[in-house]
Amino acid sequence: MSKRTLRGKAAIAGVGETPYYKHGKAPVSEFKLALQAILAACEDAGIDPRRIDGFASYSNDRNDPSRLAAALGLPALRFSNMNWGGGGGGGSAAVGNAAAAVACGMANCVVVFRALAQGQFQRFGAAPPGGAAAGEAALNAPYGVMSPAQRYAMRAMRFLHENHIEPSAQRAIALASYRHAQANPRAVMHGRPLTAEAYDASRWIVEPWRLFDCCQENDGAAALIVVPAEEARDFRQPPAYLLGSAQGSEYRNGARGHNAPLYATSSFTTVAPQLYDMAGVKPADVDVVQSYENFTGGVLMSLVEHGFFTAEQANDFLTPENLTAPGGKLPLNTSGGNLAECYMHGLELQVEAVRQLRGQSTAQVPDAEVSMVISGPMVTPVSSMILGTEAVL
């Protein structure tokens, strides 16, 4: 483990969310959603919002930190940070960036946030509007590859084909998420259980993904408050300490025209080893995992790349029983995740990871002490983070 590390230097002291809505149905603006989630996180932490002095986000969030600071009446804005990338790959990176800021003294109380109101803007899951394509889109659009599902399906298809992975493995990921959502009243799919028969009967979106393999599209906001570790005990809730955060992707991962040398990956082959090295834990030490589901195939690939099982073991390991709390071997997406709780561009996964360590989840893993979040499989850059209780430090 390197001496230059974030391990144990910062903690999450508060989490907050708005209600989650179907895309385009939020009753207020995206900016107001962001403020509501930040204020909810402050209430959770038991602090005056004017204690905040920094903001970190990702995926080109439209809510400018200076405007947020003005609306909240902050005495001073000391830190503002955006992780590049249009997908959910920056969710864990944003937490790591906030932790770096408080660890080195650039700020004392940084909010990580993400807000979406797709009724004000374009739907995330739709192909871009307009009659002209430029850049990467110009290489893909002539072949009908325009939506996120179409862009990433080929990478997953290659992985599934080369490793002889059955459809039941992806189905298990979807079923586990929906089972967990039935215990979570915040989940958009609460009260709408999914059966294996309904999954198998659902329409194809693009092979290898059916309807229930694909994430929702939602409006809402989520926020987390990151503080220095030495101050973490002073807040209302038990702290969740950052053990490790890593971001990036492998060699030439972003090569245009689907020319990445390691094509059939979820982009974590170099990121996951960095994460474990910083956190000082092994896959076997992780009690619960929240993995961003853009599509179930990306979750499957990311779990392999984080060392929870090999590709050859995927068919046997990935069953609903193994992925469901409280007794599964690897409880996954215990709030319902992007598939069944909400697609808050993945930041709801960080919120759930904190709740697991506090013992406050609606699908609680007994005695959870190490909690992982995997952000944005198959996009680039991607990121992951590991949280732990004080006992783990």
Side-chain angles (χ1 to χ4, degrees), residues 13-386:
V15 296
E17 302 166 289
T18 66
Y20 293 134
Y21 308 93
K22 185 177 174 63
H23 68 84
K25 300 299 183 182
V28 297
S29 70
E30 191 173 81
F31 183 70
K32 189 168 183 178
L33 290 169
L35 290 171
Q36 288 175 347
I38 292 168
L39 292 174
C42 291
E43 173 64 24
D44 183 64
I47 64 169
D48 187 315
R50 285 165 290 197
R51 185 166 173 174
I52 297 166
D53 61 358
F55 297 95
S57 191
Y58 59 102
S59 193
N60 308 319
D61 189 281
R62 289 175 282 254
N63 299 285
D64 180 82
S66 293
R67 188 179 173 207
L68 291 170
L72 293 167
L74 304 190
L77 176 63
R78 300 178 58 203
F79 179 78
S80 59
N81 175 273
M82 173 63 67
N83 195 82
W84 281 307
S92 294
V95 176
N97 293 342
V102 301
C104 72
M106 293 181 69
N108 290 317
C109 184
V110 177
V111 168
V112 178
F113 73 95
R114 186 74 177 99
L116 286 172
Q118 296 183 68
Q120 291 180 261
F121 307 99
Q122 181 197 334
R123 277 180 59 183
F124 262 61
E136 176 72 5
L139 302 175
N140 292 330
Y143 300 94
V145 178
M146 292 179 281
S147 72
Q150 292 166 334
R151 290 200 304 272
Y152 297 123
M154 290 185 287
R155 294 181 66 172
M157 199 69 155
R158 169 84 68 84
F159 183 89
L160 298 174
H161 172 75
E162 289 181 346
N163 294 288
H164 309 289
I165 295 174
E166 300 295 329
S168 60
Q170 293 189 115
R171 182 204 299 136
I173 293 168
L175 291 177
S177 292
Y178 270 80
R179 285 187 188 180
H180 289 140
Q182 304 318 303
N184 178 7
R186 298 182 307 275
V188 175
M189 293 299 176
H190 179 70
R192 300 173 64 181
L194 177 66
T195 65
E197 293 76 17
Y199 171 94
D200 289 340
S202 65
R203 69 183 185 273
W204 288 107
I205 301 301
V206 54
E207 287 192 75
W209 297 319
R210 297 182 179 274
L211 175 66
F212 294 109
D213 291 303
C214 303
C215 68
Q216 300 181 75
E217 294 179 81
N218 300 109
D219 290 355
L224 305 95
I225 293 176
V226 180
V227 299
E230 58 269 23
E231 300 176 10
R233 293 183 182 178
D234 300 335
F235 296 83
R236 178 176 291 164
Q237 302 284 356
Y241 293 93
L242 186 69
L243 302 182
S245 176
Q247 57 181 286
S249 52
E250 61 251 335
Y251 172 69
R252 284 183 54 80
N253 179 282
R256 288 187 166 186
H258 294 261
N259 281 312
L262 294 177
Y263 187 65
T265 81
S266 61
S267 310
F268 287 102
T269 59
T270 56
V271 173
Q274 298 170 28
L275 176 71
Y276 288 123
D277 182 60
M278 180 183 289
V281 301
K282 305 180 295 296
D285 299 320
V286 177
D287 298 310
V288 58
V289 175
Q290 317 298 329
S291 177
Y292 186 104
E293 312 119 313
N294 35 22
F295 311 100
T296 55
V299 178
L300 191 159
M301 296 160 74
S302 70
L303 293 175
V304 169
E305 287 164 34
H306 282 83
F308 292 109
F309 49 85
T310 66
E312 292 74 21
Q313 295 167 330
N315 289 326
D316 293 330
F317 190 96
L318 290 174
T319 66
E321 293 71 29
N322 280 346
L323 302 180
T324 305
K329 292 181 180 178
L330 186 68
L332 176 72
N333 294 351
T334 48
S335 66
N338 287 350
L339 293 184
E341 182 186 27
C342 169
Y343 179 74
M344 198 31 53
H345 231 160
L347 199 61
E348 83 285 351
L349 301 173
Q350 274 80 1
V351 172
E352 175 65 9
V354 172
R355 287 197 173 115
Q356 280 287 348
L357 297 187
R358 293 178 179 178
Q360 297 173 351
S361 173
T362 54
Q364 184 61 46
V365 174
D367 304 316
E369 293 192 330
V370 178
S371 184
M372 177 185 284
V373 182
I374 300 171
S375 296
M378 298 185 293
V379 305
T380 185
V382 292
S383 59
S384 303
M385 58 183 270
I386 298 177

